Amino acid sequence: PGSLFRCLSVFALRDINLAITSTLDLRGVLEVLLREIGRLLPDTAITVRLKNRDSGEFEYVACHNINEAEWRSGTGQRGGQLSERVLKTGAPLVIRNIHTDPRGRGSKFFRERGFISYLGVPLTAKGESLGIVSFFTKEERDFTDTEIDFLTTLAGQAAMAIYNSQLHEQTKKQAAELERSNRLKDEFLGFVSHELRTPLNALVGYTGMIQDEMFGAINSEQKRILAK
């Protein structure tokens, strides 16, 4: 089984790498990540939480092998203490039994659904903590060093893809905001131009009539000033 896992791991890492280089779509990256891990760990529930760049909060964005609607509901939201531990230390966290280990007390959502063992791996790219990918199994197990190393490497690749995707989305957002700003500027300048044009046309017209002495004779100095 260990050799098979290592063999399948190579293909999974290849597919993740292809996803990194072929798409900037966040949803596409997460789908590949969950599909490939699910292929290796078919009985494992997987969740992904990512940091919102604006609010700084870690949001629930994707899951596998659990009811997504329930997970995203208030019931599922209360199971974040394990994630906080992983995010704080920046290292993988393994808990053999979340029912008996005091660190698993915050995982009510998963305990009620029969999950026992836990592994949390941070998603880090460019020195920035982007989020966490968590694994829950319904059989008590010790994640091997090989599995932890593989899932950590996989999380690192996924984190880089997520980072690129978020950067792309941020660039698109900034471009849209710049386009909107330019459009508002053009509208403002058009409005100001229209509002100024009418009185300026009147001033130019009256100045021309005075220069043509339609209201009486003017001297040369007055003509010079009017010309200016």
Side-chain angles (χ1 to χ4, degrees):
S3 299
L4 177 60
F5 183 87
R6 284 190 291 271
C7 181
L8 292 174
S9 299
V10 172
F11 291 105
L13 290 173
R14 181 203 62 186
D15 290 341
I16 289 291
N17 187 60
L18 289 175
I20 292 174
T21 57
S22 64
T23 181
L24 288 172
D25 176 63
L26 178 59
R27 177 56 57 181
V29 171
L30 293 176
E31 286 178 355
V32 171
L33 175 67
L34 296 178
R35 183 182 70 239
E36 296 306 325
I37 297 178
R39 184 182 300 175
L40 293 171
L41 304 170
D43 299 322
T44 302
I46 311 165
T47 65
V48 179
R49 297 176 64 197
L50 295 179
K51 184 179 181 180
N52 184 304
R53 288 178 176 268
D54 296 324
S55 67
E57 296 294 327
F58 282 86
E59 300 176 342
Y60 293 66
V61 296
C63 64
H64 177 72
N65 273 347
I66 57 173
N67 185 293
E68 184 170 358
E70 293 179 357
W71 177 63
R72 290 180 179 275
S73 71
T75 302
Q77 296 280 347
R78 291 200 292 268
Q81 293 184 14
L82 294 178
S83 298
E84 292 173 3
R85 287 178 178 270
V86 175
L87 295 170
K88 185 177 181 179
T89 62
L93 172 66
V94 178
I95 298 180
R96 182 178 177 85
N97 192 318
I98 59 176
H99 295 263
T100 58
D101 193 309
R103 295 174 296 176
R105 285 179 297 185
S107 303
K108 181 180 178 181
F109 174 81
F110 292 95
R111 285 189 283 109
E112 288 179 344
R113 285 154 181 80
F115 292 99
I116 300 175
S117 295
Y118 168 83
L119 168 64
V121 182
L123 293 166
T124 306
K126 302 285 187 178
E128 179 181 352
S129 178
L130 304 181
I132 178 175
V133 54
S134 299
F135 309 91
F136 295 85
T137 66
K138 288 192 173 182
E139 292 184 359
E140 188 169 290
R141 63 176 294 174
D142 287 317
F143 286 92
T144 66
D145 290 340
T146 299
E147 290 173 327
I148 295 174
D149 289 343
F150 161 71
L151 294 173
T152 300
T153 301
L154 194 61
Q157 288 189 331
M160 195 66 234
I162 292 168
Y163 178 87
N164 290 335
S165 174
Q166 291 179 335
L167 186 63
H168 177 66
E169 290 299 319
Q170 183 180 11
T171 301
K172 285 172 55 179
K173 182 179 179 181
Q174 290 175 340
E177 290 175 349
L178 180 60
E179 182 180 354
R180 179 175 179 274
S181 176
N182 287 335
R183 184 171 65 253
L184 291 175
K185 181 188 68 176
D186 292 341
E187 292 175 358
F188 172 75
L189 291 177
F191 172 78
V192 171
S193 177
H194 173 75
E195 292 300 310
L196 287 176
R197 188 176 298 115
T198 300
L200 286 176
N201 284 340
L203 287 172
V204 171
Y206 276 108
T207 303
M209 288 189 288
I210 294 172
Q211 283 179 307
D212 293 338
E213 300 184 340
M214 293 181 63
F215 304 109
I218 57 176
N219 59 44
S220 59
E221 179 64 14
Q222 290 171 326
K223 286 187 176 181
R224 185 182 68 80
I225 293 174
L226 288 169
K228 289 185 178 182

